């Protein structure tokens, strides 16, 4: 496409700003995602995360030696105007992890999923994947974002594998992008676009379907395989 001066330009898009995250409850088959409430979710999250220092390796905060320090961190997440933090609750209503919608730019229709802290109770469970599906669907279909980002420390191999498993596309490394806990961090960038979402949604739903699990809750088809991600 060219402009009147014959120089190439991008295609026209709907420039209506996207919505901003709200205190919604996103219900799934394995659990729910809802706005974090430090008073209500804090005790469950501390019990689920206490003693697991590796959860904080690649985050700018933590680990926390006691519940008071953790509670202060969670209260700050609840009040953070730049990150909208959600708790992930299991079928029994216990909070077992948190994640945030952040780098929120409604005018550009760009948003990031990040600050993900999954306790061992949540890791490698169907709910861990379902929570990602629920929040992505909310970002694309309710809020109207066209670019959904995932960023992580380039050395964080589990996070990079997760991004590909969920259907994000790797875009490259930002070298010396940040200083975290006094150390240099290169950042790996991934993204999913609104044009990618219908296919990604279909694979999420195919993986989450009851018929994809055995009686003892083992997956039959792998999401990585469905999304053609490296094993």
């Amino acid at each position: 496409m060219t402009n009147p001066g014959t120089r190439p330009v991008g295609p026209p898009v709907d420039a209506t700003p996207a919505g901003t995250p709200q205190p919604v409850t996103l219900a799934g088959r394995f659990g729910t995602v809802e706005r974090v409430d430090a008073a209500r979710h804090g005790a469950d999250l501390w019990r689920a995360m206490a003693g697991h220092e590796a959860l904080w390796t690649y985050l700018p905060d933590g680990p926390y030696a006691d519940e008071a320090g953790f509670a202060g961190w969670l209260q700050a997440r609840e009040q953070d105007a730049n990150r909208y933090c959600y708790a992930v609750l299991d079928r029994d209503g216990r909070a077992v992890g948190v994640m945030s919608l952040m780098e929120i730019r409604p005018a550009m229709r760009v948003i990031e999923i990040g600050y993900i802290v999954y306790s061992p109770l949540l890791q490698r469970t169907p709910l861990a994947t379902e929570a990602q599906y629920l929040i992505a669907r909310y970002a694309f279909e309710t809020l109207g974002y066209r670019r959904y980002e995932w960023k992580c420390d380039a050395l964080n191999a589990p996070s990079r594998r997760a991004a590909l498993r969920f259907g994000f596309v790797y875009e490259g490394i930002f070298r010396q992008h940040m200083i975290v806990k006094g150390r240099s961090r290169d950042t790996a960038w991934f993204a999913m676009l609104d044009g990618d979402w219908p296919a990604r949604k279909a694979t999420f739903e195919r993986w989450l379907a009851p018929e994809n699990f055995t009686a003892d809750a083992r997956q039959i088809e792998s999401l990585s395989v469905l999304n053609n991600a490296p094993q």
Side-chain angles (χ1 to χ4, degrees), residues 2 5-6 9 18-20 28 37 63 65 77 87 95 107 118 138 143 181 184 187 190 201 227:
T2 59
T6 70
V9 294
T20 55
D37 181 325
R77 299 288 70 73
Y118 276 9
Y138 176 62
L143 299 180
K181 295 176 179 173
S184 181
T187 297
F190 302 80
K201 178 182 180 180
N227 280 325

Side-chain angles (χ1 to χ4, degrees), residues 40-52:
R40 190 157 58 88
H41 300 139
D44 281 345
L45 288 169
W46 172 248
R47 281 192 292 269
M49 297 179 183
H52 299 286

Side-chain angles (χ1 to χ4, degrees), residues 29-30 202-214 220:
R29 190 163 66 92
F30 299 99
T203 57
F204 269 123
E205 292 179 350
R206 180 173 170 181
W207 188 85
L208 290 164
E211 56 269 24
N212 190 44
F213 293 90
T214 62
I220 296 171

Side-chain angles (χ1 to χ4, degrees), residues 120-144:
L121 295 177
L122 180 56
Q123 294 170 12
R124 298 183 177 277
T125 68
L127 176 57
T129 295
E130 183 178 61
Q132 293 294 330
Y133 161 71
L134 292 171
I135 203 75
R137 186 180 67 180
Y138 176 62
F140 283 119
E141 298 184 9
T142 301
L143 299 180

